[in-house]
Amino acid sequence: MLHFENDYSQVAHPAVLNELSAISTGSYPGYGSDTVCEQAKAKIRTACGKPDADVWFLVGGTQTNQVVIDAITPSYAGVVTVESGHPNVHEAGAIEYSGHKVLTLPHHNGLMDATELDEFCATFYADGNYEHMVFPGCVYVSQSSEYGTVYSKEHLRAIADVAHKYDMPLFVDGARLGYALTATGCDMTLGDLADIADVFYIGGTKVGAMFGEAVVFTKHNTPRHFLTTIKQHGALLAKGFLLGAQFDALFTDDLYFRIARNANECADRIRKALQEKGYTLTFDAPTNQIFVTLDEPTRTRLEQHVLLGFTEKADDAHTVMRICTSWATTPEQTDQLIDLL
C-alpha cells in the first residue's frame, strides 16, 4: 500500500534520529532547562530574526493549542476562529474543556476574512448586554489552513491589525508551517510571521520530528508563569531535551525547510496529474494537502492501493478525500500514485 493519508506516518527524519542517538548517553537537567534545548532555541531565534524571542517546546499540536489559548485568553473570553479551524472541529472540545468557548466565523477555503472579524467584534461591543456574553479574547488561525491554503503576508497582517484593534493577541498554529512557508506563491517568511503574530508555533510532528512543537513569543509578551500553565495542562515533558534535540537537528543547515519543500514538490506533481486526468480539485491549495472530490467507484479503486484521508461526504455519490504528501514522500512513491490515477 502507498501511504498518502497524512504527514506524520513515519517516525522521524534520519538527522533527527541521529541527534537523539547522539545525546542518548548523556545526562541532562529536566523540563527543558538543559543545554540541548538552549542550543535549539538559539537556532530558532536566528531563523526568526528575533534574538530575544521566547521559545518553548511542547509535545503535540492539540496540547499546544490548548496551552497557548488558555494562557493568552482571559477567563471570561473565548477564541475566535473559522468554522473549519482545528480547535472547532478536530480537537474533541479541548479548548472548551479548558474553559474557553470557541467563537466561529465563516471560512473562505479555510481562511479567515479580516473584515468579517472586524464586523464580528464591532457587533459584539455594540450589544448593550455584551458584559453578559463571552468576549472575543484572542484570534486563532493556522498557517497552512485545514484545507492546505495559505495566508499571504498582507492578509495575515490585516487580521493582526483587527485583532489588536480589539485588544486581542493573534495566535498562529504552525503545525504545518514548513509546508506553508515553502509553498509556491507564498510571500511570507518565518521572519515575517514573527513580526506579525503575537505568538505562533513551529510544527515538528508533521515536518520531520518524532514529536514536538516549538512555541515562539516574539513581542516580550510571554504570559506570566507560562511554565506553570504548561505544567497545569500536564504538558511539561520531564525529558525536555528530547524535544530540544529534534529541533536542533531540524534547524541545522535549513533542514526543516528543505524537507518541507520536498513534500510540496511531490504534491505539485500530483496536483498537475489530477488536473490533466480530469479530476475535480476541491480546494485550490499550494501545500502538501490535496483535496479531491471522488466518485465512489474511483474512490474504491484507489483505496485498494493507496491509503487516503477521509474529509467529508460531498453528496450521495461523491466524497472529498485528502491526498497528503510529507517530508518523507519519495519521487518513486509519487510516480506510483500518479500511475494509479
Coordinates of all heavy atoms in Angstrom, one line a residue, residues 149-204:
T149 N -4.6 25.7 2.3 CA -4.5 27.1 1.8 C -3.6 27.9 2.7 O -3.3 27.6 3.8 CB -5.8 27.8 1.6 OG1 -6.6 27.6 2.9 CG2 -6.6 27.1 0.5
V150 N -3.1 29.0 2.1 CA -2.0 29.8 2.8 C -2.4 31.3 2.9 O -2.9 31.8 1.9 CB -0.7 29.6 2.0 CG1 0.4 30.5 2.6 CG2 -0.2 28.2 2.0
Y151 N -2.1 31.9 4.0 CA -2.3 33.3 4.2 C -1.1 34.0 3.6 O 0.0 33.7 3.8 CB -2.4 33.7 5.7 CG -3.6 33.3 6.4 CD1 -3.7 32.1 7.1 CD2 -4.7 34.1 6.4 CE1 -4.9 31.7 7.7 CE2 -5.9 33.7 7.0 CZ -6.0 32.5 7.7 OH -7.1 32.2 8.3
S152 N -1.4 35.1 2.8 CA -0.4 36.0 2.4 C 0.1 36.9 3.5 O -0.6 37.0 4.5 CB -0.9 36.8 1.2 OG -1.8 37.8 1.6
K153 N 1.2 37.5 3.3 CA 1.7 38.5 4.4 C 0.6 39.6 4.6 O 0.3 39.9 5.8 CB 3.0 39.0 3.9 CG 3.7 39.9 4.9 CD 5.2 40.1 4.6 CE 5.5 40.5 3.2 NZ 6.9 40.7 3.0
E154 N 0.1 40.1 3.5 CA -0.9 41.2 3.6 C -2.1 40.8 4.4 O -2.7 41.5 5.2 CB -1.2 41.8 2.3 CG -2.2 42.9 2.3 CD -2.6 43.4 0.9 OE1 -2.1 42.8 -0.1 OE2 -3.3 44.4 0.8
H155 N -2.6 39.6 4.0 CA -3.8 39.0 4.6 C -3.7 38.8 6.1 O -4.5 39.2 6.9 CB -4.1 37.7 3.9 CG -5.5 37.1 4.2 ND1 -6.0 36.1 3.5 CD2 -6.4 37.4 5.2 CE1 -7.2 35.8 4.0 NE2 -7.5 36.6 5.0
L156 N -2.5 38.2 6.5 CA -2.3 37.9 7.9 C -2.1 39.2 8.7 O -2.6 39.4 9.8 CB -1.1 37.0 8.1 CG -1.0 36.4 9.5 CD1 -2.2 35.5 9.8 CD2 0.3 35.6 9.6
R157 N -1.5 40.2 8.1 CA -1.3 41.5 8.8 C -2.6 42.2 9.0 O -2.8 42.8 10.0 CB -0.3 42.4 8.0 CG 0.2 43.5 8.8 CD 1.2 44.4 8.0 NE 2.4 43.6 7.6 CZ 3.4 43.4 8.5 NH1 3.4 43.8 9.7 NH2 4.5 42.7 8.0
A158 N -3.5 42.1 8.0 CA -4.8 42.7 8.2 C -5.6 42.0 9.3 O -6.3 42.7 10.1 CB -5.6 42.5 6.9
I159 N -5.5 40.7 9.5 CA -6.1 40.0 10.6 C -5.5 40.5 11.9 O -6.2 40.8 12.9 CB -6.0 38.5 10.4 CG1 -6.9 38.1 9.3 CG2 -6.4 37.8 11.7 CD1 -6.7 36.6 8.9
A160 N -4.2 40.6 12.0 CA -3.5 41.1 13.2 C -3.9 42.5 13.5 O -4.1 42.8 14.7 CB -2.0 41.0 13.0
D161 N -4.1 43.3 12.5 CA -4.5 44.7 12.8 C -5.9 44.7 13.5 O -6.1 45.5 14.4 CB -4.5 45.5 11.5 CG -3.1 45.8 11.0 OD1 -2.1 45.7 11.8 OD2 -3.0 46.2 9.8
V162 N -6.8 43.9 13.0 CA -8.1 43.9 13.6 C -8.1 43.3 15.0 O -8.7 43.8 15.9 CB -9.1 43.1 12.7 CG1 -10.4 42.9 13.4 CG2 -9.3 43.7 11.3
A163 N -7.3 42.2 15.1 CA -7.2 41.6 16.5 C -6.7 42.7 17.5 O -7.2 42.8 18.6 CB -6.2 40.4 16.4
H164 N -5.6 43.4 17.1 CA -5.0 44.4 18.0 C -6.0 45.6 18.3 O -6.0 46.2 19.3 CB -3.7 44.8 17.5 CG -2.7 43.7 17.4 ND1 -1.6 43.8 16.5 CD2 -2.6 42.5 18.0 CE1 -0.9 42.6 16.6 NE2 -1.5 41.9 17.5
K165 N -6.8 45.9 17.3 CA -7.8 47.0 17.4 C -8.7 46.7 18.6 O -9.2 47.6 19.3 CB -8.6 47.1 16.1 CG -9.7 48.1 16.2 CD -10.5 48.1 14.8 CE -11.7 49.0 14.8 NZ -12.4 48.9 13.5
Y166 N -9.0 45.4 18.8 CA -9.9 45.0 19.9 C -9.2 44.3 21.0 O -9.7 43.5 21.8 CB -11.0 44.0 19.3 CG -11.9 44.7 18.3 CD1 -11.7 44.6 16.9 CD2 -12.9 45.5 18.8 CE1 -12.5 45.2 16.0 CE2 -13.8 46.1 17.9 CZ -13.6 46.0 16.5 OH -14.4 46.6 15.6
D167 N -7.9 44.6 21.1 CA -7.0 44.2 22.2 C -7.0 42.7 22.4 O -7.0 42.1 23.5 CB -7.6 44.8 23.5 CG -6.5 44.8 24.7 OD1 -5.3 44.8 24.3 OD2 -6.9 44.7 25.8
M168 N -6.8 42.0 21.2 CA -6.7 40.6 21.2 C -5.4 40.2 20.6 O -4.9 40.7 19.6 CB -7.8 39.9 20.4 CG -9.2 40.1 20.9 SD -10.4 39.2 19.9 CE -10.4 40.1 18.3
P169 N -4.7 39.2 21.2 CA -3.5 38.7 20.6 C -3.8 37.7 19.4 O -4.9 37.1 19.4 CB -2.8 37.9 21.7 CG -3.9 37.5 22.6 CD -4.9 38.6 22.5
L170 N -2.9 37.7 18.4 CA -3.1 36.8 17.3 C -2.2 35.6 17.5 O -1.0 35.7 17.6 CB -2.7 37.5 16.0 CG -2.7 36.6 14.7 CD1 -4.0 35.9 14.4 CD2 -2.2 37.3 13.5
F171 N -2.8 34.4 17.5 CA -2.1 33.1 17.6 C -2.1 32.4 16.3 O -3.2 32.1 15.8 CB -2.7 32.3 18.8 CG -2.2 30.9 18.9 CD1 -0.9 30.6 18.7 CD2 -3.1 29.9 19.3 CE1 -0.4 29.3 18.9 CE2 -2.7 28.6 19.4 CZ -1.3 28.3 19.2
V172 N -1.0 32.0 15.8 CA -0.9 31.3 14.6 C -0.4 29.8 14.8 O 0.7 29.6 15.3 CB 0.0 32.0 13.5 CG1 0.1 31.1 12.3 CG2 -0.5 33.4 13.2
D173 N -1.3 28.9 14.5 CA -1.0 27.5 14.6 C -0.1 27.1 13.4 O -0.5 27.3 12.3 CB -2.3 26.7 14.6 CG -2.2 25.2 14.5 OD1 -1.1 24.7 14.0 OD2 -3.1 24.5 15.0
G174 N 1.1 26.6 13.7 CA 2.0 26.3 12.7 C 2.3 24.8 12.6 O 3.5 24.4 12.3
A175 N 1.3 24.0 12.8 CA 1.5 22.5 12.8 C 2.2 22.1 11.4 O 3.0 21.2 11.4 CB 0.2 21.8 13.0
R176 N 1.7 22.8 10.3 CA 2.3 22.5 9.0 C 3.0 23.8 8.5 O 3.0 24.0 7.3 CB 1.2 22.1 8.1 CG 0.6 20.7 8.4 CD -0.4 20.3 7.4 NE -0.8 18.9 7.6 CZ -1.9 18.5 8.3 NH1 -2.7 19.4 8.8 NH2 -2.1 17.2 8.4
L177 N 3.6 24.5 9.4 CA 4.2 25.8 9.0 C 5.3 25.6 7.9 O 5.4 26.4 7.0 CB 4.8 26.5 10.2 CG 5.4 27.9 10.0 CD1 4.3 28.8 9.5 CD2 6.0 28.4 11.3
G178 N 6.1 24.6 8.0 CA 7.1 24.4 7.0 C 6.6 24.3 5.6 O 7.1 24.8 4.6
Y179 N 5.5 23.5 5.5 CA 4.8 23.3 4.2 C 4.2 24.6 3.6 O 4.2 24.9 2.4 CB 3.8 22.2 4.2 CG 4.3 20.9 4.8 CD1 3.7 20.3 5.8 CD2 5.4 20.3 4.2 CE1 4.1 19.1 6.3 CE2 5.9 19.1 4.6 CZ 5.2 18.5 5.7 OH 5.7 17.3 6.2
A180 N 3.7 25.4 4.6 CA 3.1 26.7 4.1 C 4.2 27.7 3.6 O 4.0 28.3 2.6 CB 2.4 27.4 5.3
L181 N 5.3 27.8 4.4 CA 6.3 28.8 4.0 C 7.1 28.5 2.8 O 7.7 29.3 2.2 CB 7.2 29.1 5.2 CG 6.5 29.6 6.5 CD1 7.6 29.9 7.5 CD2 5.8 30.9 6.2
T182 N 7.1 27.2 2.4 CA 7.8 26.8 1.2 C 6.9 26.5 0.0 O 7.4 26.0 -1.0 CB 8.7 25.5 1.5 OG1 7.8 24.4 1.9 CG2 9.7 25.8 2.6
A183 N 5.7 26.8 0.2 CA 4.7 26.6 -0.9 C 4.9 27.6 -2.0 O 5.3 28.7 -1.8 CB 3.3 26.7 -0.4
T184 N 4.6 27.1 -3.3 CA 4.7 28.0 -4.4 C 3.7 29.2 -4.2 O 2.6 29.0 -3.9 CB 4.3 27.3 -5.7 OG1 5.3 26.2 -5.9 CG2 4.4 28.2 -6.9
G185 N 4.2 30.4 -4.4 CA 3.4 31.6 -4.3 C 3.3 32.2 -2.9 O 2.8 33.3 -2.7
C186 N 3.8 31.5 -1.9 CA 3.8 32.1 -0.5 C 4.8 33.2 -0.4 O 6.0 33.0 -0.7 CB 4.1 31.0 0.5 SG 4.0 31.6 2.2
D187 N 4.3 34.4 0.0 CA 5.2 35.5 0.1 C 5.7 35.8 1.5 O 6.2 36.9 1.8 CB 4.5 36.8 -0.5 CG 3.3 37.3 0.3 OD1 2.9 36.5 1.3 OD2 2.8 38.4 0.1
M188 N 5.5 34.9 2.4 CA 5.8 35.1 3.8 C 7.0 34.2 4.2 O 7.2 33.1 3.8 CB 4.6 34.7 4.7 CG 4.8 35.0 6.1 SD 3.3 34.4 7.1 CE 2.0 35.5 6.4
T189 N 7.9 34.8 5.0 CA 9.0 34.1 5.6 C 8.7 33.9 7.1 O 7.8 34.4 7.6 CB 10.3 34.9 5.4 OG1 10.2 36.1 6.2 CG2 10.5 35.3 4.0
L190 N 9.6 33.1 7.7 CA 9.5 32.9 9.1 C 9.7 34.2 9.9 O 9.0 34.5 10.9 CB 10.5 31.9 9.6 CG 10.4 31.4 11.0 CD1 9.1 30.8 11.3 CD2 11.5 30.4 11.4
G191 N 10.5 35.1 9.3 CA 10.7 36.4 10.0 C 9.5 37.2 9.9 O 9.2 38.0 10.8
D192 N 8.8 37.2 8.7 CA 7.5 37.9 8.6 C 6.5 37.5 9.6 O 5.8 38.3 10.2 CB 7.0 37.7 7.2 CG 7.8 38.4 6.1 OD1 8.5 39.4 6.3 OD2 7.9 37.8 4.9
L193 N 6.4 36.2 9.7 CA 5.4 35.6 10.7 C 5.8 36.1 12.1 O 4.9 36.4 12.9 CB 5.4 34.1 10.6 CG 4.5 33.4 11.6 CD1 3.0 33.8 11.4 CD2 4.7 31.9 11.5
A194 N 7.1 36.1 12.4 CA 7.5 36.5 13.7 C 7.2 38.0 14.0 O 6.9 38.4 15.1 CB 9.0 36.3 13.9
D195 N 7.2 38.8 12.9 CA 6.8 40.2 13.0 C 5.3 40.4 13.2 O 4.9 41.3 14.0 CB 7.2 41.0 11.8 CG 8.7 41.2 11.7 OD1 9.4 41.2 12.7 OD2 9.2 41.4 10.5
I196 N 4.5 39.6 12.6 CA 3.1 39.8 12.5 C 2.4 39.2 13.7 O 1.5 39.8 14.4 CB 2.5 39.3 11.2 CG1 3.0 40.0 10.0 CG2 1.0 39.3 11.2 CD1 2.7 39.4 8.7
A197 N 2.6 37.9 14.0 CA 1.9 37.2 15.1 C 2.4 37.6 16.4 O 3.6 38.0 16.6 CB 2.1 35.7 14.9
D198 N 1.5 37.5 17.4 CA 1.9 37.7 18.8 C 2.5 36.4 19.4 O 3.4 36.5 20.2 CB 0.7 38.1 19.6 CG 0.2 39.5 19.2 OD1 0.8 40.5 19.4 OD2 -0.9 39.5 18.5
V199 N 2.1 35.3 18.9 CA 2.6 34.0 19.3 C 2.3 33.0 18.2 O 1.2 33.1 17.6 CB 2.1 33.5 20.7 CG1 0.5 33.5 20.7 CG2 2.6 32.2 21.1
F200 N 3.2 32.1 17.9 CA 3.0 31.1 16.9 C 3.8 29.9 17.3 O 4.6 29.9 18.3 CB 3.4 31.6 15.5 CG 4.9 31.9 15.3 CD1 5.7 30.9 14.9 CD2 5.4 33.1 15.6 CE1 7.1 31.1 14.7 CE2 6.7 33.4 15.5 CZ 7.6 32.4 15.0
Y201 N 3.5 28.8 16.6 CA 4.4 27.6 16.9 C 4.9 27.0 15.6 O 4.2 27.1 14.6 CB 3.8 26.6 17.8 CG 2.7 25.7 17.4 CD1 3.0 24.5 16.7 CD2 1.3 26.0 17.6 CE1 1.9 23.6 16.4 CE2 0.3 25.2 17.2 CZ 0.6 24.0 16.6 OH -0.4 23.1 16.2
I202 N 6.0 26.4 15.7 CA 6.7 25.8 14.5 C 6.4 24.3 14.7 O 6.9 23.7 15.7 CB 8.2 26.1 14.5 CG1 8.4 27.6 14.4 CG2 8.9 25.3 13.4 CD1 9.9 28.0 14.7
G203 N 5.7 23.7 13.8 CA 5.3 22.3 14.0 C 6.4 21.3 13.6 O 7.0 21.4 12.5
G204 N 6.7 20.4 14.5 CA 7.7 19.4 14.2 C 7.1 18.1 13.9 O 7.6 17.3 13.1

